Amino acid sequence: MKNILSLSLVMFVFSCAAQNKIEEKSIKTSLEYLASDVLEGRSTGSIGIEKAAVFIENFFSENNIKPYFETYRDTFNVKDIIGYNVVGYIEGNDPGLKDEFVILGAHYDHIGTAKEVNGDVIANGANDDASGTVAVMEWAKYFSETKTNKRSVLFTLYAAEEMGLKGSGHLAERLKSDSLNVYTMINFEMIGVPRAEGEMMAYVTGFKESNMAEKLNSYANAEIIGFLPKAKEFNLFKRSDNYPFYKSFQIPAQAISTFDFTNFDFYHHVDDETENMDFKHMTNFINKMIPALEGGMINASTKEIKLTNE
Ligand SMILES: [Zn+2]
């Protein structure tokens, strides 16, 4: 009896470890740095965002994720400010599918400073959008290790989202002028805090634009992605980095978020800090998305995710 118990204990521990392919510790380490005061709120053109860009580049290079362009940086200007998107690339392993690209993205810039509270003016942007940035970095590392992606994947971190989607706008136009064959794009925005119990874990903006939510849930074999009426009311579909890709390519290009206007009081606030993130939730979300991304979106033999009007 004792042996059976200890064996089942070992199996239980093993299955828990195997469940999370991406570890909380790594997620936390990256987020803590990106949202630290040293980066001064990652305003585009600042010394702080430069540190963030170098951090992401180092993470990519340490994990054998190649640059898509000559370097990791896709450079653009916003008036006299120079901005950099950071773009990593993992080529697909299927000769027939690797010319089709899936783009995963998030913005790594933030607003720099915000209204002072108790002497603090740094808007750290832990949830907005270091959380999405870290998710994209971790998936890049995951696919670099597993090499399971049949389609090619671009891992894209944008600057100047907060200046009006300038970084993503630049990259979308550049890839469009290169005639890149892009299948889908998902932008991850504010995934650092969970929704209330009983609510769907996340939602997609532009829910009715495509069958993205339905397909991702069926690939994941779980109800992860739902519809948020407030996202429609505020037209969030057009307010983040997915939209330039939709405009340029006319493809399913949507944002996924777990911020629902009731679960986080610190949007563009100095208290959008690491200590207010829920790392259990983030780890759970990032891992739950893997089968949706890998099993279905990246590896399905045909383009099953389609715009509604196609
Ligand atoms: Zn954001």
Side-chain angles (χ1 to χ4, degrees), residues 27-90:
I27 293 168
K28 196 172 178 199
T29 302
S30 293
L31 193 134
E32 270 175 343
Y33 179 71
L34 289 172
S36 65
D37 284 354
V38 177
L39 272 59
E40 298 177 324
R42 306 187 308 275
S43 157
T44 301
S46 70
I47 294 166
I49 198 172
E50 172 61 24
K51 289 177 181 162
V54 168
F55 179 78
I56 298 164
E57 289 174 309
N58 287 342
F59 184 93
F60 278 175
S61 108
E62 279 160 19
N63 290 292
N64 303 312
I65 299 142
K66 293 196 182 94
Y68 179 68
F69 301 110
E70 243 166 76
T71 71
Y72 287 114
R73 297 195 185 202
D74 168 46
T75 307
F76 60 92
N77 285 77
V78 185
K79 292 178 186 152
D80 56 347
I81 294 172
I82 300 171
Y84 304 101
N85 299 314
V86 182
V87 183
Y89 166 52
I90 300 182

Side-chain angles (χ1 to χ4, degrees), residues 106-107 109-110 127-130 161-162 187-190 239-241 267-268:
H107 69 93
D109 73 311
H110 196 52
N127 200 7
D128 186 12
D129 189 20
E161 191 269 353
E162 304 285 1
N187 168 35
F188 292 86
E189 265 274 16
M190 300 180 76
R239 287 179 53 187
S240 191
D241 292 314
Y267 174 73
H268 286 194

Side-chain angles (χ1 to χ4, degrees), residues 203-266:
Y203 65 89
V204 66
T205 66
F207 184 86
K208 285 192 172 156
E209 298 290 332
S210 78
N211 60 350
M212 173 102 63
E214 180 203 323
K215 295 310 290 182
L216 292 179
N217 289 335
S218 96
Y219 297 146
N221 203 11
E223 292 294 306
I224 309 171
I225 316 286
F227 168 69
L228 184 76
K230 273 243 179 323
K232 188 177 179 212
E233 186 186 330
F234 294 127
N235 207 357
L236 297 188
F237 174 62
K238 294 188 177 178
R239 287 179 53 187
S240 191
D241 292 314
N242 53 289
Y243 188 60
F245 290 90
Y246 172 81
K247 264 200 322 194
S248 290
F249 290 93
Q250 290 295 306
I251 52 159
Q254 289 161 265
I256 289 177
S257 177
T258 70
F259 164 72
D260 66 5
F261 299 88
T262 65
N263 59 353
F264 191 65
D265 294 332
F266 309 121

